[in-house]
Amino acid sequence: MTETAVTEAAATPGSKSEQAYQAVKARIVEGTYTPGYRLVLGSIAKDLGFSVVPVREAIRRLEAEGLVTFERNVGATVAGIDPTEYLYTMQTLSIVEGAATALSAPLIDAAAIARARAVNQEMRDCLDHFDPVRFTQLNQDFHSVLFEHCPNPHILDLVHRGWNRLASLRSSTFRFVPGRARDSVEEHENLLKLIETGADAEQIEKAARLHRSATLDAYLAQTNH
């Protein structure tokens, strides 16, 4: 069977390979398997109740996605977060998401504003018993409301690519800079008020870009990069 065929077989919905892939990926994203964690096929297979074969296929998929690395005499380990790749991704996302938010603003109605504000309140409620993975998901939900009305499909595609790239980096940035979360919630409210009051596109775009770059700056300062 060719490598392509193996990948397609592994991706079959409901298959053991797909279940193993989803399970291992979730543990990486959630931080259960931290960068450098050695992925022992036999142990994972026993834990999941599968044979080694579907787990091996899952690990291959995760390696192709950059979540896992393979070293001779070591085996498969969880890949670390590349700070340079994170820098480039966040810089790009600040630009395209800022533009998408500004273009969406005139099309965002009161119902969408209310939905975004409700999500932001959930984020605020999350601060006292902080869960970075949950907070990050809510953060994406919030921003999706603001940019999903962007009438330019090319810009919107770039935004989605940026968010997907962040997910592949397992970037729950708030895991590393939890103190940034509270400021982020307040900046969200400021963005909503700008949109509600009909601020001009340039002002909204600038606020959205600064919001994104502030998170990047906090991460880089915390990790000394």
Side-chain angles (χ1 to χ4, degrees):
M1 183 180 292
T2 66
E3 184 174 346
T4 300
V6 169
T7 302
E8 290 176 349
T12 302
S15 69
K16 289 185 178 180
S17 296
E18 176 65 19
Q19 291 177 50
Y21 165 79
Q22 294 294 346
V24 176
K25 184 173 183 177
R27 292 175 186 183
I28 293 174
V29 171
E30 293 167 359
T32 303
Y33 294 164
T34 56
Y37 182 89
R38 187 165 175 242
L39 298 167
V40 181
L41 300 185
S43 297
I44 296 173
K46 183 178 180 180
D47 184 41
L48 296 176
F50 297 157
S51 69
V52 170
V53 175
V55 176
R56 181 181 294 113
E57 292 171 348
I59 297 300
R60 286 176 181 170
R61 287 179 64 187
L62 292 166
E63 183 182 6
E65 293 176 8
L67 293 177
V68 169
T69 59
F70 188 88
E71 298 179 40
R72 187 184 299 275
N73 300 324
V74 176
T77 59
V78 177
I81 296 175
D82 183 338
T84 302
E85 183 65 21
Y86 177 74
L87 168 65
Y88 293 155
T89 299
M90 287 289 279
Q91 284 179 334
T92 303
L93 190 55
S94 73
I95 294 170
V96 296
E97 189 177 41
T101 301
L103 289 170
S104 291
L107 305 174
I108 298 176
D109 59 20
I113 289 286
R115 190 163 85 250
R117 187 162 275 129
V119 173
N120 201 42
Q121 183 57 50
E122 286 189 65
M123 297 177 74
R124 196 185 304 278
D125 294 341
C126 188
L127 293 173
D128 292 334
H129 303 285
F130 193 60
D131 176 351
V133 174
R134 170 66 174 158
F135 191 89
T136 296
Q137 181 56 61
L138 288 170
N139 185 54
Q140 182 171 355
D141 293 344
F142 174 86
H143 284 285
S144 294
V145 177
L146 300 194
F147 64 65
E148 69 184 4
H149 294 87
C150 178
N152 186 319
H154 298 293
I155 292 177
L156 194 56
D157 178 63
L158 291 173
V159 174
H160 287 152
R161 287 171 183 264
W163 277 100
N164 289 337
R165 193 170 291 112
L166 281 181
S168 73
L169 290 169
R170 298 176 324 292
S171 154
S172 174
T173 311
F174 300 103
R175 184 189 304 281
F176 302 96
V177 284
R180 169 68 190 141
R182 193 170 299 277
D183 290 339
S184 183
V185 169
E186 297 308 319
E187 290 163 16
H188 285 175
E189 180 58 31
N190 179 57
L191 269 171
L192 291 177
K193 287 179 179 177
L194 288 174
I195 294 170
E196 279 181 314
T197 56
D200 61 57
E202 183 178 354
Q203 189 176 4
I204 292 172
E205 180 173 356
K206 182 179 180 181
R209 289 181 63 175
L210 288 176
H211 169 66
R212 177 67 56 193
S213 61
T215 299
L216 170 62
D217 291 343
Y219 172 80
L220 295 177
Q222 180 68 26
T223 55
N224 297 317
H225 290 291

